[in-house]
Amino acid sequence: MTPVIIHPQAFLEIEGAKKWYESQSQGLKDQFMNELDHGMEYTWEYPESWPAYVSGTRRYLLHRFPFAIVYSYDGTTVKVFALMHLHRKPGYWLKRFNLEA
């Protein structure tokens, strides 16, 4: 399996989305997490499958929820920069490119 580095802000975005969906409806958080986990597994396993996005990144779009996993792949490691909400400021995560291994 491909090594993965997740930016700390991406972790915070995941936690924030989990809390929000949990507050909205019984079971919605679990549905969100199942879809996110599915997307992460595919991204880690097949990192070159998803289309090019911005500044050398790629993105995996979640199907039911308005989020994308934004990451780069250098041939050996997947670096996740954001769990980007699709209806908010685009490009806010670009300053995260200083992700260290």
Side-chain angles (χ1 to χ4, degrees):
M1 183 170 269
T2 305
V4 177
I5 299 171
I6 301 177
H7 193 283
Q9 292 296 317
F11 275 119
L12 293 176
E13 290 165 346
I14 292 167
E15 290 303 310
K18 281 173 35 179
K19 287 178 185 176
W20 192 84
Y21 284 117
E22 184 174 46
S23 74
Q24 296 304 301
S25 173
Q26 179 87 20
L28 194 56
K29 177 191 91 168
D30 293 335
Q31 293 172 27
F32 170 74
M33 288 307 299
N34 285 339
E35 187 166 334
L36 180 61
D37 289 344
H38 179 79
M40 287 183 176
E41 287 175 19
Y42 276 134
T43 300
W44 306 170
E45 198 161 329
Y46 307 105
E48 295 180 305
S49 296
W50 312 113
Y53 185 48
V54 175
S55 298
T57 63
R58 296 175 181 266
R59 71 178 181 169
Y60 175 91
L61 297 171
L62 275 63
H63 299 285
R64 260 191 77 206
F65 299 92
F67 287 93
I69 301 167
V70 179
Y71 69 96
S72 67
Y73 178 62
D74 64 7
T76 59
T77 303
V78 170
K79 295 179 181 179
V80 177
F81 296 101
L83 177 65
M84 178 180 71
H85 194 289
L86 298 175
H87 302 295
R88 297 199 181 134
K89 296 188 274 186
Y92 71 90
W93 52 270
L94 285 168
K95 63 183 175 261
R96 298 180 186 173
F97 276 117
N98 293 329
L99 183 63
E100 295 297 323

